[in-house]
Amino acid sequence: MKNLDNLSRYKIFLAVAECKSISKAAAQLYISQPAVSITVKKLEENLNTTLFFRKSKGVELTEKGRQLYENTKKAFQILLDTEEHLKRSQNTGYLRIAASNVLCKHFLMPYLKEFTGHYPNTDLSITCTVSAK
């Protein structure tokens, strides 16, 4: 895998682009304004391009900066969506049931269908036994 040193820089880049201000992004991220400025400068050096037009009242994305912003935003959204999916898809438990054939067939099965709809990530173990005579 290629070096991902810029990953944290992209988070700062996104904040600056969305705030349209280095100082506002710094406040939002709880880091110093010089640290944000240096990070943006290093990202620009690594990419060999200018990402922002510096103005007296903030910053504005260049064309290349806009391209990077859109793709970085998409990439971070993909990561967030994947994290959420992984959290949801984790096993939420284990249910073990033992019941007679009659109870399983006529009583339990409709409830289990509903249960698995509500709790799809729960492992089920059902043991149906011959009813006592």
Side-chain angles (χ1 to χ4, degrees):
M1 178 180 266
K2 289 189 175 187
N3 192 338
L4 295 177
D5 287 341
N6 285 340
L7 196 56
S8 61
R9 292 180 184 142
Y10 288 129
K11 181 180 176 187
I12 293 170
F13 165 77
L14 283 175
V16 173
E18 290 171 354
C19 292
K20 297 181 176 153
S21 165
I22 289 175
S23 57
K24 287 178 184 175
Q28 178 183 316
L29 297 168
Y30 301 104
I31 57 178
S32 70
Q33 181 270 327
V36 173
S37 293
I38 291 167
T39 300
V40 169
K41 181 107 174 105
K42 285 188 180 195
L43 184 60
E44 288 177 325
E45 288 172 2
N46 286 349
L47 298 174
N48 197 30
T49 193
T50 302
L51 300 171
F52 295 101
F53 295 117
R54 276 80 170 164
K55 298 184 170 192
S56 60
K57 300 246 182 187
V59 295
E60 183 181 317
L61 287 166
T62 63
E63 183 56 38
K64 289 184 180 181
R66 260 191 292 288
Q67 290 174 4
L68 182 64
Y69 172 75
E70 292 301 323
N71 288 317
T72 302
K73 192 173 177 180
K74 286 177 192 174
F76 273 90
Q77 190 59 54
I78 289 169
L79 287 172
L80 291 172
D81 292 346
T82 302
E83 282 181 357
E84 189 60 35
H85 173 74
L86 291 173
K87 287 177 187 175
R88 279 194 316 261
S89 66
Q90 291 179 359
N91 184 303
T92 59
Y94 185 80
L95 178 62
R96 180 196 266 167
I97 300 172
S100 70
N101 289 336
V102 173
L103 280 175
C104 281
K105 182 177 180 183
H106 298 289
F107 179 75
L108 193 56
M109 294 313 279
Y111 287 105
L112 286 176
K113 185 175 183 179
E114 185 177 339
F115 178 86
T116 56
H118 289 292
Y119 305 100
N121 299 316
T122 301
D123 288 335
L124 290 174
S125 172
I126 303 167
T127 303
C128 294
T129 60
V130 177
S131 301
K133 293 183 184 184

